[in-house]
Amino acid sequence: MPDPSYTTAETLLIEGPDAVAFAQSQFTVAVASIEPGEWRFGAWLDAQGRVRYLFHLARLAPDRLLLLLRGGHADAMKTELSRFVFRAKLSMHADNSQSLATADALPLHQTHTLDDVTRVGCGDHSLVLSSDANANTRWHSLQIAAGWPWLPEALLGTCLPPALSLHRLHAVSLDKGCYPGQEIVARLHYRGGNKRHLCRIGLSQPVASGALLEIDGDESSIQLLNATSTDRGAEAIALCHSGFACTDELVTATHDAQKVTVKRLETWPA
């Protein structure tokens, strides 16, 4: 059976005259520069610069934004985000009633909505949000190969943007004005200091998304984000320490008292 974490579309709709200005002030991406019919990666950070939520942000209309979460729950995000609305003229609606499935190719960053069905263009495929979609996770392996992370529940609010390679995904703006965590983002970008790197890894056996693989203690551990089974075992996007992120050697890790052979396949820039 498909993992429900990857077949349920958790979405947050933000609409109203102040929707774009509000999102611009809260999220890492330059929302005002997104044209209707387009989407970009974005994140909402805490004051320490850690990623609370990661999402696709689609501008469905000039004053209508749809966030498709890559981990976490939309109702929880709505509750947390509502504390910052104050007098802004907007409404928010959280929805987890739709399925998330793979659809035909659609150019990267395009989004189409027709008859309550929304498609998010991912280049060689698209994600379709629909109440009657046949849920499947074929998109999952395609996005692992592309280096698009998905955050397990336990890791919300723990990862810094460079560790998730958010600059590479154009999810972080350094010059659009203030937003929570912006000073930390700028400091890490210009001064460095990031200790964890986003990698694609091969595993000798299937391991669940969110698992922690131990290598000589916690400091050298490999934290899986999203993982998928393959004919050879599994592949995953993972947070890795600097030494592993540069090696081509096979590494033996431990998970639930079982030995797992791990090979780094690719490392993406911070």
Side-chain angles (χ1 to χ4, degrees), residues 220-232:
S220 299
S221 63
I222 296 175
Q223 175 65 64
L224 302 192
L225 301 183
N226 32 331
T228 188
S229 297
T230 68
D231 294 338
R232 299 172 300 279

Side-chain angles (χ1 to χ4, degrees), residues 167-181:
H167 286 279
R168 172 182 59 94
L169 298 176
H170 305 290
V172 175
S173 173
L174 296 170
D175 58 6
K176 77 178 183 76
C178 293
Y179 55 84

Side-chain angles (χ1 to χ4, degrees), residues 113-249:
T113 300
L114 179 65
D115 297 332
D116 295 326
V117 176
T118 298
R119 289 176 62 202
V120 177
C122 304
D124 59 0
H125 68 287
S126 61
L127 296 174
V128 59
L129 290 69
S130 171
S131 58
D132 60 356
N134 292 317
N136 67 79
T137 57
R138 187 170 61 86
W139 59 269
H140 194 198
S141 59
L142 297 172
Q143 295 190 2
I144 285 178
W148 292 8
W150 189 285
L151 293 182
E153 186 82 16
L155 294 184
L156 298 177
T158 68
C159 303
L160 292 168
L164 299 176
S165 193
L166 294 193
H167 286 279
R168 172 182 59 94
L169 298 176
H170 305 290
V172 175
S173 173
L174 296 170
D175 58 6
K176 77 178 183 76
C178 293
Y179 55 84
Q182 182 199 29
E183 291 184 3
I184 306 298
V185 169
R187 185 183 309 153
L188 288 169
H189 178 74
Y190 292 114
R191 299 183 183 179
N194 176 58
K195 296 181 180 179
R196 295 199 292 178
H197 304 271
L198 196 70
C199 299
R200 180 168 65 93
I201 62 174
L203 303 163
S204 59
Q205 63 193 57
V207 181
S209 298
L212 184 69
L213 306 183
E214 295 285 355
I215 305 174
D216 298 330
D218 183 64
E219 187 174 337
S220 299
S221 63
I222 296 175
Q223 175 65 64
L224 302 192
L225 301 183
N226 32 331
T228 188
S229 297
T230 68
D231 294 338
R232 299 172 300 279
E235 284 194 5
I237 291 179
L239 297 178
C240 306
H241 62 90
S242 299
F244 179 83
C246 299
T247 186
D248 291 324
E249 297 180 1

